[in-house]
Amino acid sequence: MQPLISLTALLLLSTSLTSLTSLAADRSLVTERMKERMQQHIQMMDSNGDGQISHDEYLANAEKQFKRMDRDGDGQISPEERAQLHEQMMQHRGEHTP
């Protein structure tokens, strides 16, 4: 009976280690993608290409983001608009999950 328990424990440990290795690889890939997206976002905000984000560049980007979020153009981001954006982000995230 003891060898069967040991074999079962070994199989469970092996499966757990394989799952952890896969999870670590997935997290590494997600982290790398996040870094790439952040770098792209920074480059987009740096409109004059000097490698720095000025206050004016930051505010210009914030204005673009606000306009994108204010879908009906009324100068306010409603709960419905936030819900739509959240849904859009979740769909986009699902399309890019490793």
Side-chain angles (χ1 to χ4, degrees):
M1 188 73 163
Q2 186 68 15
L4 182 59
I5 292 172
S6 296
L7 180 58
T8 302
L10 184 60
L11 286 172
L12 287 171
L13 180 60
S14 174
T15 302
S16 295
L17 289 174
T18 301
S19 295
L20 287 174
T21 301
S22 177
L23 180 60
D26 287 348
R27 283 190 176 186
S28 178
L29 181 59
V30 168
T31 299
E32 190 59 37
R33 285 184 180 170
M34 287 176 64
K35 286 179 184 178
E36 289 172 7
R37 292 177 78 194
M38 179 63 81
Q39 189 61 34
Q40 290 171 347
H41 189 71
I42 289 170
Q43 288 175 347
M44 181 189 70
M45 287 192 333
D46 182 17
S47 60
N48 65 3
D50 68 355
Q52 300 182 66
I53 308 299
S54 71
H55 187 253
D56 288 341
E57 288 171 323
Y58 182 85
L59 291 177
N61 183 66
E63 182 69 28
K64 280 195 282 188
Q65 293 295 326
F66 187 89
K67 286 180 181 178
R68 182 180 67 83
M69 295 170 69
D70 180 18
R71 294 179 175 217
D72 63 8
D74 69 351
Q76 298 182 22
I77 300 168
S78 68
E80 292 80 16
E81 289 166 325
R82 288 193 306 270
Q84 289 173 351
L85 288 165
H86 181 262
E87 180 63 28
Q88 182 182 3
M89 287 172 51
M90 299 304 347
Q91 288 175 356
H92 181 74
R93 185 180 202 184
E95 293 170 2
H96 293 89
T97 300

